[in-house]
Amino acid sequence: MSFRNGWYSTSKYLIQIGLCYFTALLPLQPTFLPASLGIMIAGIGWLMMFPFHRHLIAFDKQASWVVAFLVVYYLLGIDFFSKSKRTSEILSVQISMLFWGIPFVLYYKEFEASFFRLLEKIFVASTAISAVIFLVYFLQIELQKIPLEYSKRSPFYFLPVHYLGMYYNTSLAFLFFGKTFKNKVFSFFLATILISSVVLLAARMQWVILSILLIAYTLDSIKNSLNKKKFFYLIISIIAISFSALFSSEVHRRIQETIDEFRSIKAKKNDKQTNHRVFIWKEAKSVCRNLPITGFKPGIADSLLMAKLEHVDAEFWDGEKVYYLRDGSYNYHNQFLQAIAERGIGIISLIGALAIVMFFSAHPASKYIVLIFVFSMFTESILQRQAGVFLFSFFMPYLALFSKKSKFNFSF
């Protein structure tokens, strides 16, 4: 292929990808749905009608099966007889699951190695920039001694700290175990920024995930004698970050809360009731038991949960004031319980099968990215927010591209 034709086809491919992403990022209320689908169909048609290089178009079966799962997950949530506004809101968020994986199903063969690696670089770089913004925001709060509860520590009002931590840990998985950047010093610099941000965000499940990543990376460095310098850098960065965390009162408070909650499940410690998720999960299980086969559909499941929480009298302290669960609006704070309540027990088998296959993908970071998803699903309903929908439905098809060389290959 000539240089000119190469750039010509590349630009067309980038435009098609852009159409997919533009569609996924639209506000996607029901009135926008026909226009969104029209844009998506036009983008796919444009790709399929490339006049000169049709023989170079690849169709990836692995990625297509992942997208098929995402489509099934979405369709099982549709309730044609419901007029619930909450149901429409959830499905409007989740509808982008139908689109994010399309670029990995249909693509040009020559881009499989170079272009998809570029996507990793873009993701890690943009996430690192987000981490820098957070650190500046964090320093401003600390220096001015502003009392701020941890859930409001994100400078991105639409992206809570739990999801920020999930993004930062995913980037760390690429940096530690992938081949995103060849320059090791640059990778170390980005990793230090991301580790610092995960620690100072004070999202506790992301601390657990970060610890797993650091232990795995340490063991890998010890095993590989060529990586002793990387291991030394890592130890220095952990010491520096741990030292900096000592100056954060919010990190101290969250650590103390964690210790207190392990000590006592139903009693108060330091004016803090045990984690409200314990109470939410208890009521969520009772909702799931009522209709385990088909579920109650999105929105309705949340309403039933809130009806249960009306009877929870436990008092909680958010760092600023006492609150009751009945005064808020909660989802299940657990993607597995959320999926059962909305779509039935069968969907858990599909999620498990998908996670197992992707865990054994040939991509070097796949195991850790899948673990990040699974661990995060235990404390968050990650497919209820656009941030979680993107991360899951973008990187699952992405990892599927590498499953051709893996132990498990699920093409038929």
Side-chain angles (χ1 to χ4, degrees):
M1 183 184 298
S2 69
F3 178 80
R4 181 178 178 181
N5 282 341
W7 276 106
Y8 176 71
S9 59
T10 301
S11 64
K12 280 195 170 184
Y13 186 72
L14 290 173
I15 290 172
Q16 190 267 336
I17 293 244
L19 285 171
C20 292
Y21 296 169
F22 173 74
T23 303
L25 292 172
L26 280 173
L28 286 183
Q29 297 302 321
T31 53
F32 285 90
L33 180 57
S36 302
L37 291 176
I39 292 171
M40 190 63 222
I41 292 170
I44 296 174
W46 195 346
L47 174 66
M48 296 301 295
M49 292 175 65
F50 282 175
F52 302 112
H53 312 295
R54 193 175 301 177
H55 63 286
L56 292 175
I57 294 176
F59 174 80
D60 190 85
K61 291 183 179 180
Q62 282 68 235
S64 68
W65 283 112
V66 176
V67 173
F69 161 80
L70 298 174
V71 171
V72 169
Y73 185 92
Y74 180 81
L75 293 178
L76 287 175
I78 293 178
D79 186 353
F80 295 101
F81 304 101
S82 173
K83 296 182 180 180
S84 166
K85 181 180 178 182
R86 179 60 181 158
T87 301
S88 299
E89 289 174 350
I90 294 173
L91 292 176
S92 294
V93 168
Q94 293 178 345
I95 197 171
S96 56
M97 298 173 74
L98 309 178
F99 304 136
W100 283 112
I102 295 297
F104 308 115
V105 176
L106 295 169
Y107 60 92
Y108 273 111
K109 294 177 181 178
E110 65 232 48
F111 301 141
E112 185 173 359
S114 59
F115 184 77
F116 295 140
R117 190 68 68 194
L118 176 63
L119 291 179
E120 283 184 27
K121 293 180 179 179
I122 293 172
F123 175 77
V124 173
S126 61
T127 307
I129 291 172
S130 166
V132 170
I133 294 172
F134 162 72
L135 290 175
V136 172
Y137 178 78
F138 168 82
L139 288 173
Q140 180 183 1
I141 292 171
E142 292 295 309
L143 291 175
Q144 295 182 12
K145 300 186 183 301
I146 301 173
L148 195 63
E149 201 270 328
Y150 91 100
S151 64
K152 300 175 183 176
R153 291 163 74 83
S154 168
F156 311 97
Y157 68 94
F158 52 85
L159 191 57
V161 291
H162 311 89
Y163 292 86
L164 272 184
M166 187 165 62
Y167 272 56
Y168 297 163
N169 275 327
T170 302
S171 286
L172 282 169
F174 281 124
L175 288 173
F176 284 167
F177 306 103
K179 299 177 181 178
T180 309
F181 297 107
K182 294 181 180 179
N183 189 313
K184 301 301 180 184
V185 175
F186 182 62
S187 295
F188 162 71
F189 173 71
L190 293 183
T192 303
I193 291 173
L194 291 167
I195 293 171
S196 302
S197 298
V198 174
V199 171
L200 297 174
L201 276 170
R204 292 179 295 195
M205 179 53 73
Q206 299 306 321
W207 283 345
V208 174
I209 295 170
L210 175 63
S211 300
I212 292 172
L213 291 175
L214 291 174
I215 291 170
Y217 180 79
T218 301
L219 293 174
D220 182 66
S221 299
I222 293 173
K223 182 176 68 174
N224 188 344
S225 59
L226 298 177
N227 287 334
K228 287 182 178 178
K229 184 179 289 187
K230 290 165 58 179
F231 176 63
F232 174 76
Y233 286 154
L234 178 64
I235 295 299
I236 295 298
S237 66
I238 291 174
I239 293 173
I241 293 164
S242 300
F243 184 75
S244 66
L246 294 175
F247 295 98
S248 172
S249 59
E250 189 62 28
V251 172
H252 282 174
R253 186 176 76 83
R254 295 285 286 171
I255 292 173
Q256 186 61 52
E257 284 179 2
T258 304
I259 295 171
D260 291 341
E261 286 168 10
F262 274 112
R263 288 175 177 172
S264 177
I265 296 298
K266 293 186 177 180
K268 290 185 179 180
K269 295 284 186 179
N270 297 333
D271 295 323
K272 176 72 166 70
Q273 180 63 264
T274 187
N275 195 308
H276 62 248
R277 284 173 174 77
V278 174
F279 290 80
I280 292 175
W281 294 339
K282 178 183 176 182
E283 303 303 333
K285 289 177 184 176
S286 65
V287 173
C288 292
R289 282 196 290 265
N290 290 333
L291 196 62
I293 304 300
T294 61
F296 294 95
K297 304 301 180 184
I300 299 174
D302 286 358
S303 298
L304 292 172
L305 175 64
M306 286 308 303
K308 292 278 187 180
L309 296 180
E310 285 283 342
H311 306 290
V312 177
D313 295 324
E315 296 179 348
F316 298 86
W317 176 254
D318 65 2
E320 297 176 356
K321 62 184 183 301
V322 172
Y323 68 96
Y324 297 89
L325 295 181
R326 58 177 172 266
D327 296 331
S329 178
Y330 295 94
N331 60 32
Y332 287 64
H333 281 285
N334 181 297
Q335 185 56 55
F336 304 108
L337 290 173
Q338 188 88 41
I340 295 171
E342 292 180 350
R343 293 165 166 90
I345 192 71
I347 202 69
I348 299 300
S349 300
L350 291 178
I351 293 175
L354 183 65
I356 290 172
V357 173
M358 293 301 98
F359 185 85
F360 291 101
S361 166
H363 192 290
S366 63
K367 292 179 175 57
Y368 305 99
I369 293 174
V370 171
L371 286 176
I372 290 168
F373 292 155
V374 171
F375 270 83
S376 298
M377 284 178 172
F378 278 109
T379 58
E380 297 297 327
S381 299
I382 70 171
L383 298 182
Q384 301 299 101
R385 285 186 176 269
Q386 190 67 62
V389 169
F390 162 73
L391 207 63
F392 188 82
S393 56
F394 181 86
F395 281 113
M396 281 299 195
Y398 179 88
L399 296 176
L401 278 172
F402 296 87
S403 67
K404 303 169 192 175
K405 304 174 184 177
S406 67
K407 181 179 179 181
F408 290 88
N409 187 311
F410 60 113
S411 64
F412 296 97

